[in-house]
Amino acid sequence: MFFPGLGQFYGEKIIKGLFWSICQIIAIIAAIWSCLSPDGQTSTGLIFLGITIIIYLANILDAHWTVYTAKNDKSLEKIPRTNKNPWFAVFVSRVLPGLGQLYGNHSILGLIFLTASLIFLRLDDLYPSLLIISPTLAAIATYHAYLGFPQKSSFRVREYRSIVAVMVGLIFAWGIIWNYLPNWIDGRWQLFNIPSESMQPTLQIGDFVLVKKSSSYVPQQKDVVVFKTPDAVKKLSPDAGDYFIKRIIGKPEDKIQIENGIVYINNQPLEETYISEPPDYQWGPEIVPSQAYFVLGDNRNASLDSHAWGFLSKDYLVGQAYKISWPLGRGKSLILK
């Protein structure tokens, strides 16, 4: 995939190329921030995603027009059909490394690039540490496809080495981002669907919440957290899903008591504006063990939580649910301020 602005660089319209590149980068950053930030809106992120696509398509049209109207440089004029075009070699190299070499009659090298790229496309999925190899191969193959083009072509290949070098650098950088960004996001964030009413009114059935996964996360009181279903829950409810979502009420060493519809933390009543109704059960007092938490659902009388199955070990924690991402009309932060 070419990054917006490269066609303008080829047409020696550097400022215009930088403009398209910067616009695309800003749109991508805005889309990611809107979707992942607690203060961002998913709807805004989708708008910026649409803008990103529009910029990409508009850039293609502008790149074509830029090169077509560059009449002051004969090397940019239309290439006769009888001659091969090194820029076409660059293009097919971006489709699949090695095709540019095959087009330029470097058959052996083309087959080497082609075979290596196909192998590492597969290995990338199996071994994430090898993700850097594919964009590196693409950059090398693209650069060679241009500079190694047969000199008998009427196209003045050597005059545009600096432009090609800039293009290859951007291609390499974009390849790194494109390969690593999905894995980076997947390793740190995850969407979870709400299947029950246990967290009403905060969360409704069908909501999708965004969870920031972190092994170093230390929950704070009133955080909404997702955790793997403890064994104690599976004994009470064999049909329970793989994950639960509740609110942190008690932290390690806290004294917890529930009496007369009020939760007491260390003998102090806990102010709760997010629950559907006060609990109609009594519990405690008990001390939360170290390395554990006391969790409750906001729908206190319809939630299978710590009052029924005990304390939650920190080893089960997945991360903090900090935002409703979907439906769009319900998007909001879950972080209490």
Side-chain angles (χ1 to χ4, degrees):
M1 179 184 293
F2 281 115
F3 197 79
L6 297 184
Q8 287 77 8
F9 291 156
Y10 165 53
E12 296 190 330
K13 302 296 182 181
I14 306 300
I15 301 300
K16 185 187 285 189
L18 289 174
F19 169 78
W20 282 107
S21 297
I22 292 172
C23 286
Q24 183 79 109
I25 291 171
I26 291 175
I28 292 173
I29 292 175
I32 294 174
W33 182 88
S34 298
C35 290
L36 297 182
S37 170
D39 299 319
Q41 291 291 327
T42 305
S43 56
T44 305
L46 293 176
I47 291 173
F48 276 110
L49 180 61
I51 292 174
T52 300
I53 296 172
I54 292 172
I55 290 174
Y56 188 81
L57 296 177
N59 163 77
I60 293 175
L61 296 176
D62 182 71
H64 173 76
W65 180 253
T66 298
V67 174
Y68 181 78
T69 55
K71 299 297 185 181
N72 60 320
D73 190 335
K74 294 182 179 180
S75 66
L76 297 179
E77 293 177 358
K78 185 177 180 181
I79 304 300
R81 291 182 181 272
T82 56
N83 290 338
K84 290 185 176 181
N85 187 341
W87 287 100
F88 184 75
V90 170
F91 172 75
V92 294
S93 290
R94 292 301 300 125
V95 176
L96 194 61
L99 294 182
Q101 282 72 22
L102 294 175
Y103 174 73
N105 298 324
H106 296 284
S107 302
I108 296 178
L109 191 56
L111 289 174
I112 292 174
F113 274 123
L114 189 61
T115 303
S117 63
L118 291 174
I119 290 174
F120 282 105
L121 279 175
R122 176 57 180 164
L123 291 179
D124 285 350
D125 296 332
L126 301 176
Y127 305 101
S129 60
L130 300 178
L131 283 172
I132 194 173
I133 295 180
S134 289
T136 302
L137 275 175
I140 295 173
T142 301
Y143 194 62
H144 178 270
Y146 186 85
L147 291 187
F149 205 78
Q151 295 301 301
K152 63 182 180 180
S153 170
S154 63
F155 200 92
R156 295 182 293 171
V157 173
R158 297 289 172 179
E159 294 186 9
Y160 289 92
R161 284 182 297 182
S162 59
I163 296 177
V164 175
V166 172
M167 290 176 61
V168 168
L170 290 173
I171 289 169
F172 176 73
W174 181 242
I176 293 294
I177 294 172
W178 191 256
N179 278 3
Y180 276 96
L181 186 60
N183 290 280
W184 182 76
I185 291 176
D186 185 62
R188 289 163 176 79
W189 288 274
Q190 187 172 348
L191 277 175
F192 285 89
N193 178 244
I194 303 303
S196 73
E197 60 184 14
S198 68
M199 282 295 291
Q200 289 180 353
T202 305
L203 300 174
Q204 304 294 328
I205 295 175
D207 283 352
F208 281 85
V209 296
L210 193 59
V211 175
K212 187 172 184 180
K213 301 184 291 185
S214 174
S215 58
S216 60
Y217 167 59
V218 179
Q220 300 301 309
Q221 190 179 76
K222 298 185 180 181
D223 282 358
V224 178
V225 296
V226 168
F227 52 91
K228 297 176 183 177
T229 305
D231 294 336
V233 176
K234 294 179 180 179
K235 292 179 181 179
L236 292 174
S237 178
D239 296 330
D242 295 330
Y243 296 95
F244 265 39
I245 182 168
K246 305 295 176 188
R247 191 180 296 275
I248 296 288
I249 299 299
K251 299 189 297 181
E253 311 301 334
D254 280 346
K255 177 183 176 182
I256 310 295
Q257 183 175 8
I258 302 174
E259 187 176 27
N260 298 324
I262 299 174
V263 176
Y264 292 90
I265 308 293
N266 299 322
N267 300 320
Q268 298 297 317
L270 180 65
E271 182 179 352
E272 299 185 286
T273 59
Y274 42 77
I275 61 175
S276 59
E277 59 183 357
D280 60 6
Y281 51 81
Q282 312 295 314
W283 192 91
E286 287 194 36
I287 303 296
V288 181
S290 61
Q291 312 298 314
Y293 297 90
F294 185 80
V295 297
L296 295 176
D298 290 352
N299 192 359
R300 290 292 153 84
N301 298 313
S303 174
L304 184 61
D305 49 36
S306 284
H307 91 275
W309 46 261
F311 300 108
L312 172 69
S313 169
K314 74 167 190 175
D315 295 333
Y316 287 96
L317 285 171
V318 173
Q320 181 183 10
Y322 66 92
K323 177 181 181 178
I324 300 176
S325 292
W326 192 269
L328 295 179
R330 285 186 43 76
K332 66 177 182 179
S333 173
L334 295 175
I335 299 175
L336 297 179
K337 299 179 180 180

